[in-house]
Amino acid sequence: MKRLSIFLCLALFSLAFGIQAANADGLDAFKSKEGTISIAGGTAHIPVMKDAAKAIMSANPAIRITIAGGGSGVGIQKVGEGLVNIGNSGRKASEAEVSKYGLVMFPFAVDGVATVIHADNPVQALTGDQVRAIFAGEITNWKEVGGNDGAINVYARDESSGTRAVYWKKLLNKGTVVASANVVPSNGAMKLAVSKDPNAIGYVSIGHLDGSVKAPDLDGVQVNQEAAKSGQYPVVRKLYMNTKGEPEGIVKSFVEYITGPDCVEFIKAAGYIPF
Amino acid sequence: MYRTADRRAGSLWLLACRSSAAVTGAAVLAILLFLLWFSLPLLDADTLSKLLSWDWRPFHGGFGILPMVAGSLLLSLSALLLAFPVSVGICCFAHGMGPSGPAACLLRLVKFMTSVPTVVYGFVGVFVLVPLLREAFRSGSGFCWLAAAVGLAVLILPTIVLMLHSQFMLIEPQVKLTATALGMSPAQRLLHLVMPNSGRGFAAALVLGFGRALGDTMIPLMLAGNAAQVPGSLLESLRAMTAHIALVVATDSQSLAYLSLFACGLILFLSTTLVNLGLQLLKRPEEDKG
């Protein structure tokens, strides 16, 4: 009897200890496993994926993780066609996509989209109405919104961009964008174009914001991740991982790792808010 | 008299040539079939009329690709217009108009230009040409038809120069003796004998240059501004079909926007085919002129 209770105690102790260890280190899920995880899609996701992959692969060299970009649409399509294990997207998969491919979505971070102008532009703040009028081509000179005398050059993203989708829906209220707007293919290209053009206005993911461009206040709210997190700044989106059907094996472990507590720091370091 | 070994080598060589021609032909045919297969969903009247319109606003139901077709044509023709005279000038300089030292240097430079990746031209364009145009004209963002046309002109220049150069090299030995006997200077020889006999070379250079300009993606994507509109001036933004494909390829595969890419691909394919067929037809009259 005594022996049994000691045994039970030990068993419980080791079980508790084991669980605690698993909580402390999400990498344990990958222990003594091997295989490949391929990831493609949204470019905003890449820094987080890379950090996580590095941590996993250095803890367990038998697991190989490959990460490619391509954009939200490509991510969804590739995972749907079974070409990759995880397809990243900066937007929700559409109903057509979910029903065609049987996708399961895993949001793991929140990202805001900021209006950006040239760093030397004296304009410090804009209202939502002003931004909408600028993008619709109704306001065409910076002096109409308190800036220098100069024609406004509008920059937009292509129709497949997740960044564009959220900005258009949540800030432009699905309004028209002037047909003469320059279209750039990525967040990086947008930042480059706006940082070079003194009369530019465009939009980038808050995670991409740096000193090369300026994000004016919107409706009196300073544009940063804190405001996006608190809900004060409304132009936000979720970053998703998508899998075809429920994930299994190491892919499941990977999804759990990214959405778990271990990756909080990676997500913050990339400029996003953990979901 | 051929020896057996020579004959065998010859027939082997012929076989290799024939099979590579067959593989190339099959590949081109496969591409055409692939494009046609994926374009099949476009072939109902409603979809076609939507695609063949001037309105590209996918979120408002406008899927017209005509602005991109016009953009591609305007862009490649203007690039050709810029590059062709310069290329002819370079070739003349290299074939008797200029001193031989600098001429050889110039040709070497042009050959080097063929090895520069187009994205490098695009990149330099973004940092140098675009700000320059923005400052110089004080109109628009600098990402415009003109910027892309200049970029493309630089890109297709070596193609045109080398095509003309090889044609001149072909003609020159044929007329050299006569020209020298007549006391012609190299410049006179070039102007009066070599160039008039190089009609085919000129046509081929134009066609190849046009094809290369039409098919390039990186330079229009990076420099033209990509607004889906017909530009009103050289300083306005336009979108080429190739850049359109690059921009839209990431959309979901269910939409009409995605299908429009196959229409663009088909148009690009057919236009280069037509241009090449045109060249074949051009051949005979050009030879007669010579």
Side-chain angles (χ1 to χ4, degrees), chain A residues 178-183, chain B residues 67-68 224-231 237-240 247:
Chain A
V178 64
S180 60
N182 288 319
V183 180
Chain B
M68 280 61 99
N226 297 318
Q229 58 172 5
V230 179
S237 166
L238 63 71
R239 187 187 292 190
L247 279 169

Side-chain angles (χ1 to χ4, degrees), chain B:
Chain B
M1 270 299 160
Y2 285 109
R3 279 177 301 159
T4 335
D6 278 349
R7 207 173 297 155
R8 193 174 300 150
S11 68
L12 260 180
W13 176 242
L14 201 64
L15 186 72
C17 285
R18 279 193 182 143
S19 45
S20 59
V23 168
T24 314
V28 173
L29 198 68
I31 293 172
L32 179 63
L33 287 178
F34 158 81
L35 283 171
L36 284 174
W37 173 252
F38 278 93
S39 307
L40 276 184
L42 307 175
L43 290 178
D44 69 274
D46 187 45
T47 318
L48 261 187
S49 68
K50 262 190 175 165
L51 282 177
L52 296 180
S53 85
W54 293 97
D55 181 35
W56 174 263
R57 280 186 304 155
F59 286 88
H60 301 276
F63 296 97
I65 58 167
L66 290 186
M68 280 61 99
V69 177
S72 269
L73 282 178
L74 289 174
L75 194 56
S76 29
L77 286 175
S78 55
L80 205 57
L81 212 64
L82 281 174
F84 194 67
V86 182
S87 306
V88 173
I90 290 175
C91 264
C92 288
F93 186 84
H95 283 265
M97 298 261 184
S100 62
C105 280
L106 195 63
L107 269 180
R108 208 162 295 149
L109 179 73
V110 168
K111 278 180 188 156
F112 168 75
M113 281 169 72
T114 57
S115 63
V116 179
T118 61
V119 67
V120 173
Y121 288 137
F123 206 58
V124 173
V126 169
F127 278 93
V128 179
L129 188 59
V130 167
L132 203 74
L133 291 177
R134 186 189 299 136
E135 289 300 312
F137 293 101
R138 303 215 155 272
S139 155
S141 60
F143 292 96
C144 60
W145 177 5
L146 183 60
V150 171
L152 277 182
V154 173
L155 177 77
I156 65 175
L157 184 108
T159 309
I160 302 178
V161 169
L162 294 176
M163 197 67 217
L164 284 178
H165 170 66
S166 62
Q167 184 73 13
F168 287 2
M169 293 287 276
L170 211 67
I171 304 290
E172 251 174 6
Q174 298 173 16
V175 299
K176 196 165 188 177
L177 204 62
T178 323
T180 317
L182 288 170
M184 284 176 145
S185 71
Q188 283 173 323
R189 183 177 77 214
L190 180 71
L191 273 180
H192 298 295
L193 292 174
V194 176
M195 275 173 68
N197 279 304
S198 301
R200 250 184 82 186
F202 278 104
L206 275 173
V207 169
L208 279 179
F210 180 74
R212 188 135 164 70
L214 191 70
D216 186 66
T217 310
M218 224 49 213
I219 288 174
L221 183 65
M222 292 175 85
L223 300 181
N226 297 318
Q229 58 172 5
V230 179
S233 82
L234 276 168
L235 296 175
E236 279 182 30
S237 166
L238 63 71
R239 187 187 292 190
M241 280 188 281
T242 48
H244 180 66
I245 294 178
L247 279 169
V248 183
V249 76
T251 51
D252 74 282
S253 58
Q254 319 303 314
S255 64
L256 206 51
Y258 192 74
L259 285 179
S260 81
L261 303 186
F262 290 99
C264 281
L266 201 61
I267 293 174
L268 279 170
F269 188 90
L270 291 179
S271 42
T272 40
T273 311
L274 275 180
V275 163
N276 276 301
L277 283 179
L279 180 64
Q280 298 294 320
L281 291 179
L282 262 177
K283 254 186 195 172
R284 199 164 298 148
E286 287 290 349
E287 271 168 358
D288 288 348
K289 256 183 236 165

Side-chain angles (χ1 to χ4, degrees), chain A residues 74-86:
Chain A
V74 167
I76 287 172
Q77 206 189 331
K78 275 196 166 173
V79 73
E81 309 266 344
L83 301 172
V84 294
N85 301 115
I86 295 173

Side-chain angles (χ1 to χ4, degrees), chain A residues 177-225:
Chain A
V177 173
V178 64
S180 60
N182 288 319
V183 180
V184 291
S186 67
N187 273 311
M190 176 68 87
K191 220 164 57 177
L192 175 64
V194 172
S195 68
K196 294 272 157 202
D197 183 350
N199 289 323
I201 187 168
Y203 48 84
V204 298
S205 148
I206 292 184
H208 277 81
L209 271 185
D210 57 27
S212 68
V213 291
K214 181 158 95 178
D217 295 357
L218 183 83
D219 291 325
V221 177
Q222 250 196 336
V223 183
N224 52 38
Q225 287 297 30

Side-chain angles (χ1 to χ4, degrees), chain A:
Chain A
M1 196 62 195
K2 202 177 178 187
R3 203 175 271 175
L4 185 68
S5 64
I6 289 174
F7 175 72
L8 270 177
C9 267
L10 275 174
L12 275 174
F13 181 76
S14 63
L15 199 66
F17 188 79
I19 288 168
Q20 209 183 355
N23 275 345
D25 192 0
L27 290 169
D28 277 5
F30 297 98
K31 241 179 199 167
S32 70
K33 287 183 184 159
E34 55 182 335
T36 325
I37 308 173
S38 52
I39 303 168
T43 46
H45 308 54
I46 289 179
V48 181
M49 299 286 140
K50 266 195 172 155
D51 286 346
K54 214 185 284 171
I56 293 167
M57 288 195 288
S58 43
N60 183 353
I63 293 178
R64 299 289 315 156
I65 302 174
T66 59
I67 302 157
S72 298
V74 167
I76 287 172
Q77 206 189 331
K78 275 196 166 173
V79 73
E81 309 266 344
L83 301 172
V84 294
N85 301 115
I86 295 173
N88 288 327
S89 65
R91 61 171 170 84
K92 239 181 172 158
S94 73
E95 273 172 33
E97 288 164 334
V98 170
S99 65
K100 183 180 178 194
Y101 295 134
L103 296 180
V104 187
M105 292 179 252
F106 298 94
F108 66 94
V110 177
D111 178 28
V113 179
T115 308
V116 288
I117 57 180
H118 191 265
D120 298 338
N121 194 321
V123 172
Q124 294 293 345
L126 289 167
T127 66
D129 286 332
Q130 283 173 330
V131 173
R132 282 185 281 277
I134 288 172
F135 273 89
E138 288 152 16
I139 294 178
T140 55
N141 196 305
W142 278 112
K143 70 179 175 198
E144 291 174 67
V145 290
N148 298 327
D149 184 13
I152 298 176
N153 297 328
V154 177
Y155 291 78
R157 290 284 304 281
D158 52 282
E159 286 78 17
S160 60
S161 152
T163 309
R164 178 207 154 99
V166 60
Y167 194 79
W168 181 66
K169 208 166 114 189
K170 298 208 169 150
L171 186 52
L172 302 183
N173 296 343
K174 300 193 177 186
T176 45
V177 173
V178 64
S180 60
N182 288 319
V183 180
V184 291
S186 67
N187 273 311
M190 176 68 87
K191 220 164 57 177
L192 175 64
V194 172
S195 68
K196 294 272 157 202
D197 183 350
N199 289 323
I201 187 168
Y203 48 84
V204 298
S205 148
I206 292 184
H208 277 81
L209 271 185
D210 57 27
S212 68
V213 291
K214 181 158 95 178
D217 295 357
L218 183 83
D219 291 325
V221 177
Q222 250 196 336
V223 183
N224 52 38
Q225 287 297 30
E226 284 70 45
K229 188 177 187 179
S230 69
Q232 266 188 301
Y233 183 71
V235 192
V236 292
R237 60 161 168 178
K238 290 174 197 161
L239 300 182
Y240 294 89
M241 291 176 283
N242 303 282
T243 57
K244 191 180 173 74
E246 286 293 335
E248 287 165 2
I250 51 173
V251 176
K252 182 171 191 276
S253 307
F254 185 84
V255 169
E256 280 167 358
Y257 183 64
I258 293 275
T259 48
D262 286 45
C263 281
V264 166
E265 285 311 311
F266 298 154
I267 292 169
K268 280 186 185 160
Y272 307 124
I273 310 155
F275 182 63

